[in-house]
Amino acid sequence: MVSLVSVVVVAVWAMLPAYVPNNAAVLAGGGSPIDGGRTWRGARVLGDGKTWRGTVAGVAVGVTLAVVQNFAAAPLTEVGMVTLPTFPVLAMVTLPVGAMLGDIAASFLKRRLGESRGSAVPGLDQLDFVVFALGLTALVVPGWFVDVFWYERLLFVVVVTPLLHLSTNYLAYKLDLKSVPW
Ligand code: CTP
Ligand code: MG
């Protein structure tokens, strides 16, 4: 039987380098927008909410976290009851880069739909980064992806991430770090 605790713990552990970049981008964001203010078909390409600083900081924090987790995996596995996976170098990159790309792709889509910066598109806002982070990882490091995520943990990630994302964004809004609660 698959223990629920181990599914949850390993899923969250393996997704941390994809979860944290978005929050880091919120904290670090500002400065030049990636699209340089350019418009396409009457709307911004991405908008002022996607900046170079936020994106670079997000990726840097995600990669750094994965490095730290690789050092921590063995000692934590020792004291806990759950075997924590380490990240191969490629996954250390695909998880944060995929997360940032998904968020950027969602902004591109939102601008095409005529949605202004900060508007909420339920579903898209909560899953964009998960789909891209996991998709890119599955493409680039399929063996590791299957080992770590297939398939109870994948199910858990897809179902629980939106809730996690909504609650951290609400917290960021309450702390005045974000102007809207989503
Ligand atoms: N941010 C950033 N660069 C990124 C992602 C986020 O600088 N690549 C910062 C921006 O300050 C942004 C904030 O984090 O306003 C919140 O991110 P998000 O909710 O993804 O952006 P929105 O402002 O809601 O813009 P959009 O409607 O395009 O999603
Ligand atoms: Mg948003």
Side-chain angles (χ1 to χ4, degrees):
M1 196 191 79
V2 184
S3 135
L4 184 62
V5 175
S6 96
V7 170
V8 173
V9 170
V10 176
V12 171
W13 172 266
M15 279 302 283
L16 273 182
Y19 283 152
V20 176
N22 286 283
N23 304 308
V26 171
L27 294 178
S32 318
I34 295 172
D35 66 8
R38 278 184 282 274
T39 58
W40 185 51
R41 297 187 175 184
R44 285 288 294 275
V45 178
L46 301 173
D48 285 331
K50 303 300 122 150
T51 67
W52 286 113
R53 201 164 78 201
T55 308
V56 170
V59 170
V61 168
V63 172
T64 306
L65 185 62
V67 172
V68 172
Q69 285 179 267
N70 274 355
F71 282 108
L76 286 179
T77 296
E78 199 77 35
V79 295
M81 289 156 295
V82 178
T83 307
L84 297 169
T86 54
F87 301 89
V89 173
L90 288 174
M92 290 162 66
V93 175
T94 57
L95 288 168
V97 167
M100 290 281 89
L101 278 179
D103 186 49
I104 289 169
S107 289
F108 179 78
L109 194 64
K110 282 162 79 173
R111 299 302 92 82
R112 307 288 71 74
L113 295 169
E115 298 282 346
S116 54
R117 174 190 176 183
S119 66
V121 179
L124 187 66
D125 285 329
Q126 289 78 38
L127 282 172
D128 50 14
F129 67 103
V130 177
V131 171
F132 272 66
L134 290 178
L136 191 63
T137 304
L139 278 177
V140 177
V141 249
W144 184 80
F145 176 82
V146 169
D147 272 356
V148 172
F149 284 106
W150 203 256
Y151 64 88
E152 293 88 351
R153 297 171 193 143
L154 191 61
L155 206 63
F156 172 82
V157 167
V158 171
V159 173
V160 174
T161 301
L163 303 173
L164 215 61
H165 190 254
L166 281 172
S167 39
T168 51
N169 280 359
Y170 184 74
L171 187 69
Y173 166 74
K174 279 287 170 197
L175 293 172
D176 268 336
L177 296 170
K178 239 177 151 299
S179 54
V180 287
W182 44 78

